[in-house]
Amino acid sequence: MPTSQPDASGPSEDRTTPDALLHARTGTEVSPEDLVLASGKDLTPRSLEWAKRKLAAEGPAAMDKLLP
């Protein structure tokens, strides 16, 4: 019975994705709504206030801490 062989034309496992391709932000402004959704929370007045405080304290880097 033949055994299956891995596809040699597939991606190489020894290659890594360059860091520049891993960042999620697009360079646009980060809104409190964006931050709430990226954190997995529901959009509520309380979560929006949390996001506003976090953005005021950390700026757009707050999103970078949540996403790769």
Side-chain angles (χ1 to χ4, degrees):
M1 185 176 226
T3 59
S4 63
Q5 295 290 325
D7 185 9
S9 64
S12 172
E13 290 184 27
D14 63 337
R15 293 185 56 200
T16 58
T17 303
D19 190 46
L21 297 178
L22 295 175
H23 295 286
R25 282 200 319 141
T26 61
T28 60
E29 291 296 317
V30 177
S31 72
E33 291 85 0
D34 294 335
L35 195 59
V36 169
L37 294 174
S39 70
K41 298 178 182 182
D42 291 328
L43 286 173
T44 64
R46 185 175 182 173
S47 64
L48 287 171
E49 284 303 315
W50 165 82
K52 288 176 186 176
R53 288 191 308 272
K54 192 160 182 74
L55 284 172
E58 301 175 19
M63 181 68 85
D64 293 336
K65 292 178 181 178
L66 292 173
L67 301 175

